[in-house]
Amino acid sequence: MLSQSIKEVIANSSAIRAMFEEGRRMAQIHGADRVYDFSLGNPNVAPPEEVRRAILEIAGNEDPVFLHGYMVNAGYPDSRKAIAESINRRFGVDFDENSIIMTVGAAGAMNVAFKTLLDPGDEVVVFAPFFGEYRWYVRNFGGELVIVPNASEDFQPDLAGLEKALSPRTKAVIINSPNNPSGAVYPAKTLEALGGILEGWRKKTGNTVYLISDEPYREIAYDGADVPYVTKFYANTFVAYSYSKALSLPGERIGYLAVPREMDGYGEIWPALATANRILGFVNSPSLFQRVAAVCADAAVDTAFYRENRDILYNSLTEMGYECFKPQGAFYLFPKSPLADDVAFCEAAKKFRLLIVPGRSFGAPGYFRISYCVKRETVLNSLESFAEAIKSV
């Protein structure tokens, strides 16, 4: 018999994945070129050439017994060192190999952090809109997700709402910038204020609240938007990173968790993270791609293609009458739903062969998400369907 917890997960299964599966069904009926699937954040830009070269060189020259063998729980020390040095060069921080745990993507990194931090009943605060899987990551370890609703047109975190949400059971706060699904970037002044609130709480209560910064979209920012490095504003920060978007490697599941040595309890937390990495069943992130990530730590995809898709969709949809914040990063639009019921609008959009995801999946009812990391022809050919969809309501 199934556990009650997995039954609940299945009953509330990811709307994004469900829409993706629906797209495959509709493509068989209408033809793939006539179904406009904006459901899944699957990169459509090829990895940088450095990645291909690194794979070939490493696979061809490394001792295969060593390359494919076991390693320490935190990952290859030389890979961790190379990644730490890259972060230091780019962001002016002071990490070393004992600041980096190699993980199975950012999702693995977050689960490792939560396994280390959470007891049943502990609370984790998140700002809406947020990636819906956070609910399950927290619940995996008996935690409770506390949602601070969105209170601004530009999707900046409601810091007054955070202060109200903090409680004696609060163990962590999640942020995600550039944000999925809104594309908002949190500026330095916001992060400074956020760090001040958490530091004030520590001084007031004696309880450290850890910040978990989920950063798979860090390198995808537009129009000169600055994405500040969060640990510079609050030392008790875990940075969960993935190369899925930065290097267009989602299927390789390679990432890391960065941990400042200045963090409260670092001496206990570091070995606990390494142990959690093993006992959660990940054991280690893929060995070959730990090597690739180290060699390509300074590389990133060309974001021009995503920016152009953004501009086409944003300009076209706002002209049609959709209300939408212009994304500063990531590769999503998050317009207001023309219907108050965003689920109903997304269902109605299927009549026009549009696959979009309702905002309530991200804790923000009344909106819907468009993932524009798709082929250019998909964007261009979908515009008539978007126009028909808003006219129909």
Side-chain angles (χ1 to χ4, degrees):
M1 296 292 290
L2 298 180
S3 71
Q4 288 302 122
S5 61
I6 198 64
K7 286 180 182 178
E8 183 178 355
V9 173
I10 292 169
N12 296 280
S13 183
S14 170
I16 301 169
R17 290 285 177 172
M19 199 68 72
F20 177 67
E21 292 298 328
E22 177 74 356
R24 295 177 64 182
R25 185 190 68 81
M26 291 174 62
Q28 292 177 342
I29 298 172
H30 303 288
D33 60 334
R34 300 187 71 246
V35 175
Y36 312 119
D37 187 352
F38 297 97
S39 62
L40 196 62
N42 197 19
N44 195 52
V45 172
E49 176 61 19
E50 296 99 308
V51 171
R52 187 186 70 85
R53 290 200 302 265
I55 293 170
L56 293 174
E57 182 174 346
I58 294 165
N61 297 328
E62 288 270 10
D63 178 349
V65 174
F66 176 72
L67 177 61
H68 301 296
Y70 286 130
M71 68 203 70
V72 296
N73 292 342
Y76 288 125
D78 55 343
S79 293
R80 289 155 36 211
K81 181 179 180 181
I83 289 167
E85 290 173 348
S86 171
I87 297 170
N88 294 344
R89 284 193 302 272
R90 289 183 292 145
F91 305 116
V93 293
D94 184 24
F95 289 170
D96 61 21
E97 63 269 28
N98 292 321
S99 303
I100 305 294
I101 300 269
M102 301 304 297
T103 63
V104 182
M110 295 183 76
N111 275 271
V112 165
F114 290 138
K115 177 65 175 176
T116 299
L117 295 177
L118 297 183
D119 286 314
D122 283 346
E123 295 174 352
V124 177
V125 179
V126 68
F127 299 99
F130 61 91
F131 181 49
E133 299 291 282
Y134 294 162
R135 294 183 177 94
W136 312 118
Y137 299 168
V138 170
R139 199 162 299 179
N140 281 344
F141 309 104
E144 295 294 330
L145 196 68
V146 176
I147 300 170
V148 177
N150 177 56
S152 68
E153 293 293 321
D154 59 357
F155 300 106
Q156 290 298 305
D158 180 0
L159 299 184
L162 170 63
E163 291 186 282
K164 295 176 182 177
L166 293 172
S167 83
R169 293 310 303 263
T170 305
K171 187 61 72 70
V173 174
I174 303 171
I175 59 172
N176 171 220
S177 171
N179 180 259
N180 173 14
S182 71
V185 171
Y186 300 167
K189 64 179 182 181
T190 297
L191 298 175
E192 184 176 18
L194 173 58
I197 290 170
L198 298 181
E199 182 60 24
W201 180 261
R202 186 186 69 81
K203 290 178 179 177
K204 176 182 175 182
T205 66
N207 296 330
T208 297
V209 173
Y210 292 92
L211 189 59
I212 297 177
S213 185
D214 180 27
E215 301 191 0
Y217 302 96
R218 163 169 286 283
E219 274 67 48
I220 302 177
Y222 313 115
D223 308 325
D226 177 48
V227 184
Y229 207 77
V230 183
T231 64
K232 298 170 79 170
F233 301 92
Y234 187 61
N236 292 311
T237 298
F238 297 88
V239 177
Y241 187 83
S242 169
Y243 292 98
S244 294
K245 277 54 175 186
L247 297 181
S248 289
L249 296 173
E252 304 302 342
R253 312 311 299 165
I254 181 69
Y256 61 78
L257 189 68
V259 188
R261 296 188 308 278
E262 299 79 15
M263 175 179 286
D264 290 353
Y266 170 85
E268 292 181 320
I269 286 173
W270 172 259
L273 292 170
T275 300
N277 206 29
R278 174 174 57 83
I279 66 174
L280 284 173
F282 308 134
V283 184
N284 294 114
S285 55
S287 59
L288 171 60
F289 277 87
Q290 287 193 40
R291 295 295 193 199
V292 173
V295 172
C296 300
D298 291 340
V301 296
D302 183 356
T303 61
F305 180 84
Y306 296 140
R307 186 189 67 245
E308 291 163 6
N309 274 2
R310 176 202 65 169
D311 291 345
I312 293 168
L313 277 168
Y314 175 80
N315 293 334
S316 299
L317 267 62
T318 52
E319 287 177 6
M320 294 173 193
Y322 289 94
E323 296 181 54
C324 186
F325 166 77
K326 190 172 186 178
Q328 301 160 305
F331 37 55
Y332 307 104
L333 284 179
F334 201 53
K336 286 187 177 178
S337 171
L339 293 176
D341 186 338
D342 52 295
V343 174
F345 177 71
C346 292
E347 190 63 31
K350 292 180 185 178
K351 299 175 185 176
F352 307 100
R353 305 178 308 285
L354 289 171
L355 293 168
I356 51 182
V357 183
R360 68 188 57 193
S361 299
F362 306 95
Y367 293 85
F368 64 95
R369 193 189 78 169
I370 300 169
S371 177
Y372 56 79
C373 54
V374 296
K375 294 179 180 178
R376 180 62 47 78
E377 53 263 36
T378 300
V379 170
L380 295 172
N381 293 341
S382 72
L383 297 179
E384 183 177 350
S385 291
F386 276 112
E388 291 173 345
I390 195 170
K391 289 176 184 176
S392 73
V393 299

